[in-house]
Amino acid sequence: MRLSRYFLPVLKETPADAQIVSHQLMLRAGMIKQAAAGIYSWLPLGYRVLRNIERIVHEEQQRAGHIPMLMPTLQSADLWRESGRFDAYGPEMLRLRDRHERDMLYGPTNEELVTDIFRSHVSSYKTLPLTLYHIQWKFRDEIRPRFGVMRGREFLMKDGYNFDLTEEDARHAYNRHLVSYLRTYERMGLQTIPMRADSGPIGGDDTHEFVVLAETGESEVFYDSEVTDRRFGDRVIDYDSHDDCRAVFEEFTSHYARTGETHDEALFHERVPEARRRHARGIEVGQIFYFGTKYSEPMGATVQGPDGKPVPVHMGSHGIGISRLLGAIIEASHDERGIVWPAAVAPFQVGIVNAKQGDPASDAACEKLYATLARAGIEVLYDDRTERAGAKFATMDLIGLPWRVTVGPRGLADGVVELTNRRSGEREELAPSQLQGRLSE
RNA sequence: CGGGCUGUGGCGCAGCUUGGUAGCGCGCUUGUCUGGGGGACAAGAGGUCGCGGGUUCAAAUCCCGCCAGCCCGACCA
């Protein structure tokens, strides 16, 4: 992409409304524009990152055997009356009427819809286990939206639902999701800690939240310092193996780690030596639930078992806050100059800075490099504006691409360009012909 | 929803106390000189001062109402 033909409305000054660094940087980097309280337009740069995160979530979900689909944002109130949540959910649910005065709602979550799909089409235990998920916009009419995309009213979320014949199978689905989520977040360069949490209006007995530790987090968390050393890493796992998934579950949840609502001070003291007790703040980026037959019973989601008798299915649901993740990643990865994107989610992998636009040698070298990299499938943003080098550097630092190539008369006189790593600041000089190989490492 | 605050050009702000020509910085346009960390100079464009009503010869400024947004608290991917 040529920056001169792109749409990247960066701001030099920080808008007054933004309180936390991720919100400030998203606005300054031209990623989002507020449309109303807690509702944002995703400008091209922000949209690219959003899509990258979405893609990773899709890949990891499908790796775990979960099946993608898409349910609508607008739902009929009827199903929610059936589950009893039309009244129970409260004013956080946005209710509206269509032209025929029928009660509708903008979905805050999708248990009712997916359960309805399930009961319409699944009648045999042979179809189980089944996990369906989708990535769709949700609306929750928060009392006070804030912190940009971290607490918006409209937000993009992956929500998935597992249907199993037995509690044992459903527990496995729970563990499998925990493993899958750990992988997902690590791929985005985030360390998350699964914490025992409160189930809120979704209901159910068992639930863990995935928390990114951050000063600006909205949740109060208590944990054993041991948990921060855990890494899933690149281990290979058989998602169908109950034992393998349970082992990971136990490894990551054996130490004390709880959010404020479920925190038990006495237990904390009993189980964690004082030197390892931590009290901090965190950002919730996902949550998994096991809720048994809470929805399947009232809504009649049953299957015929091997003995021919109908049994309600055991269910769980699981969510990842896709749009919130942008904020969480920036909170966890930035410096005084701007965002530092982990490569996996970066809007472009490399930015080319033409230090002297209009200089024939510089222009030619940049054009050639741009074409070569693009042809190699590397996502590259070429800053071909007639700005001075300093302004281009500042823009690149702000938008946080992993690599920057600086091309100018100075280096070209020696036959080299400069490659700079955004995170470490390390720079090396190399011939333009070596660049593609270096970036593909 | 309670408490506090703010709406003035795309962004950041001043002007309001004491009513009388709408201003500054950034950004934007054009030109010249520049050119490796947000350049200099010059000339420009751009504003129903959130909306409605009132007071007044005259309202960004005073009064009333409404709307929007932000912050602090109780709720949440």
Side-chain angles (χ1 to χ4, degrees), chain A residues 229-249:
Chain A
D229 297 331
R230 302 259 177 270
R231 293 287 184 285
F232 186 80
D234 53 5
R235 60 182 105 169
V236 196
I237 186 136
D238 176 2
Y239 279 112
D240 289 329
S241 163
H242 286 32
D243 290 344
D244 287 6
C245 290
R246 188 185 305 114
V248 174
F249 171 82

Side-chain angles (χ1 to χ4, degrees), chain A residues 156-292:
Chain A
L156 188 61
M157 174 171 147
K158 169 259 159 184
D159 47 319
Y161 307 87
N162 66 283
F163 303 90
D164 289 280
L165 183 61
T166 64
E167 174 171 351
E168 155 64 19
D169 287 349
R171 297 273 177 201
H172 171 244
Y174 188 89
N175 297 340
R176 187 180 67 232
H177 276 85
L178 182 131
V179 176
S180 155
Y181 278 27
L182 289 171
R183 269 193 65 102
T184 303
Y185 296 123
E186 282 191 20
R187 268 189 72 183
M188 296 173 193
L190 274 183
Q191 196 209 347
T192 56
I193 303 170
M195 297 198 174
R196 183 159 290 283
D198 186 60
S199 63
I202 307 284
D205 337 312
D206 277 309
T207 178
H208 280 83
E209 273 176 9
F210 290 75
V211 172
V212 177
L213 295 176
E215 292 282 324
T216 48
E218 286 191 275
S219 311
E220 191 177 26
V221 296
F222 300 84
Y223 61 93
D224 183 331
S225 61
E226 294 283 299
V227 300
T228 53
D229 297 331
R230 302 259 177 270
R231 293 287 184 285
F232 186 80
D234 53 5
R235 60 182 105 169
V236 196
I237 186 136
D238 176 2
Y239 279 112
D240 289 329
S241 163
H242 286 32
D243 290 344
D244 287 6
C245 290
R246 188 185 305 114
V248 174
F249 171 82
E250 279 164 9
E251 175 186 342
F252 279 84
T253 59
S254 59
H255 289 86
Y256 192 97
R258 295 191 175 194
T259 57
E261 310 88 64
T262 55
H263 175 61
D264 179 335
E265 191 71 16
L267 189 65
F268 192 40
H269 284 245
E270 181 191 316
R271 287 187 45 195
V272 186
E274 186 168 5
R276 299 202 325 232
R277 283 178 214 147
R278 296 288 185 278
H279 177 195
R281 302 197 67 81
I283 302 165
E284 305 158 18
V285 292
Q287 189 163 9
I288 54 178
F289 301 88
Y290 165 69
F291 45 65

Side-chain angles (χ1 to χ4, degrees), chain A residues 408-425:
Chain A
R410 240 185 245 178
L412 290 174
D414 300 326
V416 296
V417 296
E418 186 183 77
L419 181 65
T420 308
N421 182 282
R422 175 67 179 86
R423 189 175 296 277
S424 67

Side-chain angles (χ1 to χ4, degrees), chain A residues 1-3 6-8 44-46 48-49 52 341-352 370 378-382 396 399-403:
Chain A
M1 181 60 64
R2 288 169 197 278
L3 189 42
Y6 199 45
F7 183 65
L8 185 68
L45 195 78
R48 287 185 78 102
V49 180
N52 285 341
W341 288 117
V345 301
F348 297 93
Q349 291 308 306
V350 54
I352 299 175
Y370 175 57
I378 296 172
E379 292 177 315
V380 48
L381 181 66
Y382 168 28
M396 284 295 174
I399 68 174
L401 309 186
W403 297 100

